[in-house]
Amino acid sequence: MQKIKQKMRVGLSRVSLRSKAALVLLATGTLLLPTGLLAQASTALEPAALQLGFSAALAQQWLTGMLLVLSVMSSIVAKLYRREAQLSCLGSMMLAGVAYQVLHYASPAPVLWLQAACVLTLALVLNFGAQYLLRQLAVQQPKLEQLMWLQTLFMPVSLMLAGGSFGGWLSQAWHGLLVVELLALLAWYLRQRWQALRSNLPVDDGANGDLRWLSLLLALSGGALLAELALDLSLTPEAALRWSLWLGLGLPLIMVGLCLHFCAGFARARRESDLQQIQLEQRMGERVAEMERNFATSVEQKLEQVTERERKRIAADLHDDLGAKLLTIVHTSESDRISTLAREALEEMRLSVRGLTGKPVQLLDALGDWRAEVVSRLGQANILAEWKAPAEDVEHTLPARAYVQTTRIFREAVSNIIKHSGGTHCTVSCNVQGGDFQVVIQDNGQGIPAELDGRLDRGHGMASMKSRAKQMHGQCLVESGPGWGTVIRLTIPL
């Protein structure tokens, strides 16, 4: 995909360089060709130009040059964008308009071949304009196009065959008919565009504004064409020449207005296309992110399922193999110490199996198990145990893993009290507060020796208790000092 985009950029850059070079040459020729050709007309019309000034002649030259540049640009755009092939018709229309402007003001004297050429170029303007407007509206009229081509050929031929004074009258008649047909075509086009714009709700403000300006420009230009036609029919040629240069701006302005209207619509469509592409990229990014999240979730679920199956397999192996052997040792050993150790190992194994495969445990049931074990072990060591349960019943549950880890923390704490504290009293306080399960274990022993001060994690299993609490996203704090016992504070989120 990246290679394709790179090739497209290279191709477009080559096309743009060629287009720029062509436009520079054409712009230079535009400034020279119409100026030279229309200079003859301005010289021939010198009396009228002296009365009206040279602004009309200059406007004719510049508009003719603009039409030539726009016709070439339209052909380039039509070649680059196949969907805008109708622009070739607009370019041909403007090129025919350039030829008409040059021929129309080439000589003030009525020359038959010039009149026929003017009628031919004006008929071509009407023909290509009709094709462009019909394609803009996506209307297919093959019979109408055939009739217009026949008209384009018939008018100049009939004018050449007529000749003489009748040829001059026929030239004016054909010219007037073509102007009326052009104005009728433009009026029909504007009517169709307004109906199409108002049928699509909500109305696009940009397109509405562009169509208003186009309607105003075409109305003024059409009025100028009608005024020029009326002057040619009512006044003498010498009198009509005074206003012909000004009123003759109507036809170029019509073609310039059509081209500018297309450019505005093309720019708006390009902007909408860019916005749609940005939105599409955003939606694609969101879809890709969603797919990545779903994939990650499915992977986690699959991993959890595999882990759960492996845990159950390990638990089954421990229970069936190791558990059976430990139970055999308990019942068959002649040594009490060996039986006791085997019984303790069996209990630890059962606790591990419960952590691997067990279900969540009610906190009240867990408190009962912990209390029974703590009070029993401390009592066997002649240590008075005081158990403080929560003031009210709790309805929380603990995951099996959290229950096992907490049980082992209790066992490690009780073992440290029995083996190292030298105390005679131990208080265990349990409480639920703010969504956390809190345990405080305090003894009245001798505390942790001074040589271990600052290094509590290195002795008496403190590191293992803190590690187990961390695995449950909780914390285990140890406070101790020589002569005033040890306090263990355990906090576990529920």
Side-chain angles (χ1 to χ4, degrees):
M1 182 62 69
Q2 295 295 333
K3 293 182 179 179
I4 294 175
K5 290 183 178 179
Q6 186 176 3
K7 291 181 180 179
M8 291 176 63
R9 293 193 190 101
V10 173
L12 289 177
S13 63
R14 292 176 179 173
V15 172
S16 62
L17 290 175
R18 296 172 184 172
S19 302
K20 290 179 181 177
L23 288 178
V24 171
L25 295 175
L26 288 172
T28 305
T30 298
L31 295 177
L32 296 177
L33 178 63
T35 303
L37 293 175
L38 291 179
Q40 300 178 1
S42 62
T43 302
L45 300 176
E46 186 175 359
L50 289 175
Q51 296 180 16
L52 294 176
F54 292 98
S55 58
L58 290 175
Q60 287 281 357
Q61 295 174 17
W62 283 106
L63 277 178
T64 304
M66 185 183 297
L67 286 177
L68 187 58
V69 173
L70 291 177
S71 66
V72 176
M73 291 180 62
S74 301
S75 301
I76 293 174
V77 174
K79 187 175 182 180
L80 293 178
Y81 296 92
R82 297 299 181 183
R83 295 180 60 183
E84 306 297 340
Q86 72 274 11
L87 271 183
S88 60
C89 298
L90 181 59
S92 301
M93 176 187 181
M94 290 186 289
L95 194 60
V98 170
Y100 173 78
Q101 291 296 109
V102 173
L103 294 174
H104 186 63
Y105 297 103
S107 175
V111 181
L112 186 61
W113 71 269
L114 277 179
Q115 292 176 346
C118 287
V119 170
L120 175 62
T121 53
L122 186 58
L124 288 175
V125 169
L126 176 63
N127 196 344
F128 288 120
Q131 294 183 34
Y132 168 71
L133 297 179
L134 289 174
R135 284 166 174 76
Q136 279 288 92
L137 297 174
V139 176
Q140 301 254 346
Q141 292 289 342
K143 293 184 179 180
L144 177 62
E145 294 181 3
Q146 293 176 0
L147 290 176
M148 295 191 70
W149 278 112
L150 291 176
Q151 175 182 265
T152 302
L153 296 175
F154 174 75
M155 285 185 173
V157 172
S158 64
L159 187 58
M160 293 295 295
L161 293 177
S165 59
F166 182 73
W169 178 86
L170 188 61
S171 173
Q172 290 184 347
W174 289 144
H175 184 271
L177 178 61
L178 290 174
V179 170
V180 171
E181 289 180 359
L182 178 61
L183 295 180
L185 175 65
L186 294 175
W188 174 79
Y189 172 74
L190 289 176
R191 182 172 177 272
Q192 297 296 322
R193 290 302 299 266
W194 279 114
Q195 289 180 351
L197 182 63
R198 290 168 179 169
S199 62
N200 295 327
L201 297 177
V203 178
D204 187 358
D205 294 335
N208 188 25
D210 292 341
L211 194 55
R212 286 182 184 276
W213 283 108
L214 179 64
S215 301
L216 179 60
L217 179 62
L218 294 183
L220 294 176
S221 303
L225 287 177
L226 289 177
E228 183 185 13
L229 182 62
L231 288 176
D232 290 340
L233 295 177
S234 60
L235 300 179
T236 61
E238 292 78 8
L241 284 176
R242 298 180 179 179
W243 301 99
S244 62
L245 288 176
W246 282 111
L247 297 177
L249 299 175
L251 183 61
L253 287 176
I254 288 175
M255 292 182 283
V256 170
L258 290 175
C259 185
L260 293 180
H261 180 259
F262 171 81
C263 292
F266 184 79
R268 190 181 303 105
R270 179 61 184 270
R271 182 182 60 187
E272 294 177 355
S273 176
D274 293 341
L275 292 176
Q276 291 177 358
Q277 183 176 1
I278 293 174
Q279 294 175 358
L280 178 61
E281 291 177 354
Q282 291 177 350
R283 289 197 296 268
M284 286 296 294
E286 293 174 356
R287 183 66 60 86
V288 170
E290 183 180 358
M291 292 176 63
E292 290 177 350
R293 289 193 299 268
N294 294 337
F295 179 74
T297 302
S298 63
V299 169
E300 291 178 357
Q301 292 176 352
K302 186 68 175 178
L303 182 61
E304 183 65 26
Q305 292 175 358
V306 172
T307 305
E308 185 66 23
R309 286 198 299 267
E310 188 65 17
R311 285 177 179 174
K312 290 182 179 179
R313 186 189 66 79
I314 295 174
D317 293 343
L318 288 174
H319 183 272
D320 296 340
D321 298 336
L322 184 59
K325 292 178 180 179
L326 289 175
L327 188 60
T328 301
I329 294 174
V330 170
H331 292 290
T332 60
S333 177
E334 298 178 356
S335 173
D336 294 338
R337 186 172 183 276
I338 294 177
S339 298
T340 302
L341 291 175
R343 188 177 290 104
E344 291 177 356
L346 184 61
E347 291 295 328
E348 286 292 334
M349 185 211 67
R350 289 175 177 172
L351 185 63
S352 298
V353 171
R354 184 173 185 179
L356 290 173
T357 61
K359 297 180 180 179
V361 181
Q362 292 291 329
L363 184 56
L364 283 178
D365 297 337
L367 288 173
D369 295 340
W370 294 331
R371 178 179 180 179
E373 182 176 349
V374 168
V375 172
S376 175
R377 290 186 62 193
L378 291 176
Q380 292 176 2
N382 297 322
I383 299 175
L384 179 62
E386 182 180 358
W387 184 274
K388 296 181 180 180
E392 56 185 12
D393 294 340
V394 291
E395 298 180 355
H396 299 280
T397 59
L398 282 177
R401 192 66 180 167
Y403 169 76
V404 172
Q405 298 286 27
T406 307
T407 302
R408 287 175 174 165
I409 291 175
F410 269 112
R411 288 180 178 178
E412 183 64 32
V414 172
S415 298
N416 289 337
I417 293 174
I418 295 173
K419 295 178 181 179
H420 306 290
S421 69
T424 59
H425 183 270
C426 177
T427 303
V428 180
S429 302
C430 301
N431 189 24
V432 176
Q433 185 176 3
D436 295 332
F437 175 56
Q438 299 175 350
V439 179
V440 179
I441 305 173
Q442 183 176 4
D443 63 68
N444 62 347
Q446 58 188 1
I448 296 177
E451 58 269 16
L452 294 179
D453 188 21
R455 296 182 289 119
L456 297 180
D457 293 346
R458 299 187 181 181
H460 309 300
M462 299 298 180
S464 66
M465 289 193 294
K466 291 187 176 183
S467 176
R468 296 181 190 280
K470 188 175 181 180
Q471 292 177 13
M472 296 182 289
H473 305 286
Q475 63 177 355
C476 181
L477 302 178
V478 180
E479 302 172 2
S480 181
W484 53 276
T486 303
V487 179
I488 298 175
R489 302 181 186 275
L490 175 64
T491 303
I492 303 171
L494 294 174

